[in-house]
């Protein structure tokens, strides 16, 4: 039989992926003396300055986002070391910045997360992928730059 089956007394699968992170509890940071368009341009410039090429810029939504697997940037922006395993893991980061009006000023929300794992030469998982959390470095540096 293919497809979903009833699980009886077993707990239901929640369907969350490895790299999903809840955002409902995330609180925006208020920058009171800047407009969203100005901050969006400055955020784009910050990505470029850090060597991260902005892959998605959606001005109408106020979003700048990027994903990448540069080992140096991933090790700076992610904490993946709480998992046992080899130190040569492949890490992929995802950074999303949303800037929106707060009436007077702007709200900034920054989300940094990622996944680490290791593939064998045959393409199979040598180390199963697991979620990585933010080190806090990117968020702190971005917010400092936007407040100037």
């Amino acid at each position: 039989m293919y497809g979903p089956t009833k699980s009886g007394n077993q707990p239901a699968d929640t369907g969350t992926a490895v790299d999903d992170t809840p955002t409902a509890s995330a609180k925006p940071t208020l920058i009171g003396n800047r407009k969203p368009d100005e901050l969006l341009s400055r955020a784009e410039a910050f990505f470029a300055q850090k060597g991260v090429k902005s892959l998605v810029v959606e001005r109408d939504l106020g979003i700048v986002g990027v994903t990448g697997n540069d080992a140096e940037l991933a090790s700076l922006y992610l904490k993946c070391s709480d998992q046992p395993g080899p130190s040569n893991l492949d890490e992929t980061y995802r950074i999303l910045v949303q800037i929106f009006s707060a009436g007077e000023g702007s709200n900034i929300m920054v989300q940094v997360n990622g996944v680490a794992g290791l593939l064998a030469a045959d393409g199979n998982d040598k180390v199963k992928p697991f979620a990585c959390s933010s080190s806090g470095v990117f968020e702190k540096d971005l917010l400092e730059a936007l407040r100037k």
Side-chain angles (χ1 to χ4, degrees):
M1 176 179 215
Y2 297 100
T5 59
K6 292 186 180 179
S7 60
N9 291 333
Q10 296 176 357
D13 181 16
T14 60
T16 55
V18 170
D19 62 343
D20 284 350
T21 56
T23 57
S25 62
K27 302 261 189 240
T29 300
L30 176 66
I31 297 182
N33 58 349
R34 302 277 188 259
K35 294 184 185 222
D37 287 342
E38 175 191 353
L39 291 178
L40 192 63
S41 295
R42 293 176 74 186
E44 271 186 88
F46 180 81
F47 273 84
Q49 174 191 0
K50 292 296 181 183
V52 180
K53 184 178 182 229
S54 298
L55 295 180
V56 175
V57 178
E58 177 53 59
R59 293 202 164 277
D60 291 336
L61 294 175
I63 294 174
V64 180
V66 66
T67 185
N69 58 2
D70 179 280
E72 185 177 336
L73 292 176
S75 67
L76 181 62
Y77 299 143
L78 297 176
K79 286 191 308 185
C80 298
S81 60
D82 56 345
Q83 295 286 329
S87 60
N88 62 337
L89 296 174
D90 297 323
E91 298 175 357
T92 302
Y93 57 87
R94 181 175 60 185
I95 303 171
L96 183 65
V97 177
Q98 183 179 17
I99 301 171
F100 52 98
S101 177
E104 290 201 20
S106 299
N107 284 312
I108 316 296
M109 291 184 70
V110 184
Q111 182 184 60
V112 179
N113 56 41
V115 175
L118 188 60
L119 289 178
D122 63 3
N124 292 319
D125 290 333
K126 195 171 186 177
V127 175
K128 289 264 186 228
F130 59 90
C132 299
S133 60
S134 173
S135 66
V137 171
F138 185 87
E139 298 93 316
K140 181 181 82 57
D141 291 349
L142 174 66
L143 291 171
E144 279 179 17
L146 294 179
R147 284 188 177 110
K148 291 181 182 177

